[in-house]
DNA sequence: AACGATTTACAAATCGTTTGCAAATCGAGC
DNA sequence: GCTCGATTTGCAAACGATTTGTAAATCGTT
């Protein structure tokens, strides 16, 4: 059975389609009597305007895209959920795209979203070449980067002060008396991780502590890889008394490596994560970590996205939020 | 700058739009010479056909909807990721909708997806009234339920034998010598949970063990609620030696309640979960749980969805998969 | 009753595709 | 060179909405 169209409603209500359209959108004047009649018919026929057709006439599609590395990663699935709630409350739907941080996927998905005429794209994954974003900007497709740096790109962005976050972690460890400290990082191409490590090292440097390069390991962002990398750190000849991990996944890997090696956390080894995902509350010991105010960030980013749909060529904003240290159980003063 | 349309390509290539369309879709015959010319122009102009316009002509939108209770819940975010990968590999995008198990949301989101002319909907959340599904079936909008029962509904479904899963958990606990057993369940309106509990109790019944009603608690599906509910069980006068939780979230709540009450898991209390999410590998002790073969299930469901788009009014299938017990560290023989 | 001033309703054009059918082109056979 | 199928191409009508300009209906005044 075909869906009912505006023609069916018009015929049934004895008016023209223009009048039905006006009644629905509250545009031109429609007498109360006809309007009531039209709504009654719409109700009876279960009429629902086709978003497709009205999008073709240049109206919005009420759909936005969300680009993230991986929805099944708790950090991003929490973002996705917040985006979704915000979006739905304003009548939008969201198409989720997991890029696995692969550049070609980023590009492919952006093209796809463009073809589908989304009203905007929220990007929470790294973007290599600014070209594609410039093209979209020219087509005035709103884009907002979230939790990722976007230097020299024609887009709004809202992110955390990752450098500061790294420093926060360093200060906490320093305060606990740690001197032998290692770092577990995601691939340095991920700017947020790079900044975190930079901030971390800077704070240590200021305190007169050096981190030798062998104690900084970078690997893929997964529990498994974190575990493997942490294992070599732990088995190494001068085992660190603390490990700073660029995200919670890596920190959990480290926790597992420690457990397997029989070293107790936090008594023999302190571990600190980043992101404050649900995972960090679930481990035992619970993970000390650095939190980003994600809900606020997402809200800001979403508003920016929707607003910039109306108000294009406005100056691109770069909003940076402050991270916060969340002390739980995985860190302490070193035993020695 | 406006996007390039099929007209631009046609004019530039010196042919009609019909020919361009044919060249793209490989429909009517187009001479090699013109086809090459057309593709060259498309390349040069960066032409991308508008999905909107072609959808209006009755073609597919290459978009599907995914209805789940909550993307930020690891069980569902893992499903979402699998769906997404499958979808993208076939050129589809997926709109994710979190329903929080609220009936009105389910209905609202389905209507929304319908308006947007998605090619199909994958439902992983409970649906109260079959009416709405019947309507969609009449409009021949393909629907597949996943991990949820759909009795008397005109849709395909692929799910786990939850009854069996519950029994598996019971047998494991029984094998460990437990006799004093409690159950932590999600709201019984969630059919999968209901079945799990039913299967669990049945297996105990067959072994001659009874679970008194006070030892079966149902609450919202979250760590916090699980913790609260488990706490009363643990503090109760005759503390169980084992708790069967209908999903991993509740099990983690139980784990936390135990930790807080100072009872050791699994020495003093065994806890078993359900779903085998990433969370169950992260806790300490790692969670014994019942796994559903989600990847397979999602693949099956997706294929059913896409295939039933072509082949409508085919008989509705109900595929049921077998659950598997995953023994980790949170269960053991009771201490007494 | 007739007038202009307002409302209200409508017909037609438009958005960017697909598609059935007619027109044009082509190659081959005589 | 002409005719006849076969093959390519293009025209024009959808698809389901929005929007604009204009005609018709309504209203209040005199």
């Amino acid at each position: 059975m075909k869906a009912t169209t505006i023609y069916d409603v018009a015929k049934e209500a004895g008016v023209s389609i223009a009048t039905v359209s006006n009644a629905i959108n509250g545009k031109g004047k429609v007498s109360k009597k006809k309007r009531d009649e039209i709504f009654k018919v719409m109700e009876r026929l279960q009429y629902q305007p086709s978003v497709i057709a009205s999008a073709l006439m240049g109206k919005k599609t009420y759909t936005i895209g969300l680009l993230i590395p991986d929805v099944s990663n708790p950090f991003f699935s929490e973002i996705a959920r917040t985006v979704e709630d915000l979006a739905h409350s304003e009548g939008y739907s969201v198409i989720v795209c997991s890029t696995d941080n692969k550049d070609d996927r980023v590009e492919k998905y952006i093209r796809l979203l463009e073809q589908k005429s989304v009203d905007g794209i929220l990007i929470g994954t790294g973007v290599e070449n600014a070209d594609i974003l410039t093209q979209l900007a020219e087509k005035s497709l709103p884009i907002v980067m979230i939790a990722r740096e976007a230097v020299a790109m024609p887009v709004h962005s809202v992110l955390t002060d990752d450098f500061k976050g790294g420093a926060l972690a360093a200060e906490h460890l320093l305060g606990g008396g740690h001197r032998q400290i290692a770092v577990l990082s995601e691939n340095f191409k991920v700017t947020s991780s790079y900044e975190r490590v930079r901030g971390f090292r800077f704070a240590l440097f200021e305190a007169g502590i050096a981190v030798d390069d062998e104690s900084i390991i970078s690997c893929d962002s997964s529990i498994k890889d974190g575990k493997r990398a942490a294992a070599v750190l732990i088995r190494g000849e001068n085992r660190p008394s603390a490990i700073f991990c660029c995200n919670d996944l890596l920190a959990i890997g480290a926790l597992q490596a420690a457990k397997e090696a029989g070293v107790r956390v936090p008594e023999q080894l302190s571990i600190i994560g980043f992101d404050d995902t649900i995972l960090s509350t679930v481990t035992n010991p619970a993970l000390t970590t650095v939190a980003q105010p994600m809900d606020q960030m997402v809200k800001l980013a979403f508003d920016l996205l929707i607003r910039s749909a109306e108000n294009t060529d406005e100056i691109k904003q770069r909003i940076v939020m402050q991270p916060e240290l969340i002390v739980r159980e995985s860190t302490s003063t070193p035993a020695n």
Side-chain angles (χ1 to χ4, degrees), chain A residues 17-318:
Chain A
I17 59 167
T19 304
V20 176
S21 175
N22 282 333
I24 293 173
N25 302 310
K27 280 305 190 66
K29 298 269 120 171
V30 179
S31 64
K32 186 163 184 330
K33 193 197 300 189
K34 295 223 165 186
R35 183 150 26 97
D36 288 349
E37 172 63 13
I38 289 170
F39 279 122
K40 213 175 301 168
V41 173
M42 278 175 26
E43 181 74 18
R44 181 151 45 84
L45 266 47
Q46 291 214 66
Y47 168 69
Q48 293 186 265
S50 154
V51 174
I52 296 288
S54 80
L56 189 56
M57 279 298 293
K59 310 291 285 221
K60 293 196 278 193
T61 54
Y62 281 97
T63 305
I64 63 172
L66 173 65
L67 243 60
I68 48 179
D70 181 8
V71 237
S72 73
N73 174 325
F75 177 65
F76 295 106
S77 70
E78 285 165 25
I79 290 182
R81 179 60 207 262
T82 311
V83 171
E84 216 203 289
D85 285 346
L86 252 20
H88 279 136
S89 76
E90 308 240 3
Y92 289 81
S93 310
V94 6
I95 293 181
V96 175
C97 301
S98 295
T99 66
D100 277 330
N101 281 319
K102 302 255 176 56
D103 297 331
D104 55 331
R105 280 207 185 193
V106 171
E107 187 150 345
K108 179 179 153 207
Y109 290 155
I110 287 181
R111 296 270 177 240
L112 192 64
L113 292 170
E114 191 187 350
Q115 273 190 41
K116 298 208 168 150
S117 312
V118 296
D119 296 333
I121 306 182
L122 227 39
I123 302 186
T125 188
V127 178
E128 278 288 285
N129 67 336
D131 287 6
I132 190 165
L133 298 189
T134 310
Q135 284 173 28
L136 296 186
E138 277 168 4
K139 291 178 188 151
S140 61
L141 207 189
I143 299 202
V144 176
M145 301 273 293
I146 181 162
R148 291 293 146 132
E149 193 59 75
V151 286
M153 296 190 180
V155 298
H156 297 293
S157 63
V158 8
L159 33 75
T160 305
D161 187 340
D162 286 303
F163 186 91
K164 173 84 168 295
L168 238 36
E171 285 156 18
H172 174 63
L173 259 20
L174 249 16
H178 294 274
R179 292 297 177 267
Q180 186 79 17
I181 303 178
V183 173
L184 211 54
S185 171
E186 200 173 350
N187 189 318
F188 285 131
K189 269 177 32 188
V190 178
T191 52
S192 54
S193 292
Y194 182 72
E195 281 301 300
R196 288 170 196 178
V197 173
R198 222 166 54 81
F200 186 82
R201 295 187 73 172
F202 181 76
L204 289 190
F205 171 77
E206 285 213 309
I209 311 278
V211 180
D212 50 329
D213 290 343
E214 292 90 66
S215 299
I216 300 188
I217 301 192
S218 88
C219 61
D220 279 354
S221 177
S222 72
I223 294 180
K224 209 169 65 184
D225 290 290
K227 181 175 175 183
R228 185 161 38 212
V232 335
L233 243 23
I234 290 172
R235 274 200 304 268
E237 49 189 27
N238 38 10
R239 166 149 62 80
S241 75
I243 304 180
F244 167 54
C245 303
C246 275
N247 63 48
D248 286 350
L249 248 28
L250 295 177
I252 286 167
L255 230 34
Q256 295 186 351
K259 182 180 174 187
E260 210 155 83
V263 332
R264 276 169 294 121
V265 176
E267 292 82 356
Q268 299 172 275
L269 176 68
S270 284
I271 292 177
I272 183 167
F274 210 114
D275 288 345
D276 190 35
T277 58
I278 186 179
L279 294 177
S280 61
T281 68
V282 152
T283 57
N284 183 15
L287 210 53
T288 291
T289 191
V290 178
Q292 309 184 51
M294 288 314 303
D295 283 2
Q296 282 179 57
M297 288 170 64
V298 170
K299 172 118 184 60
L300 248 24
F302 182 79
D303 287 347
L304 226 38
L305 190 73
I306 300 305
R307 267 201 298 111
S308 68
E310 283 119 41
N311 187 359
T312 174
D313 66 22
E314 140 194 26
I315 189 159
K316 300 307 176 193
Q317 298 201 40
R318 179 172 182 281

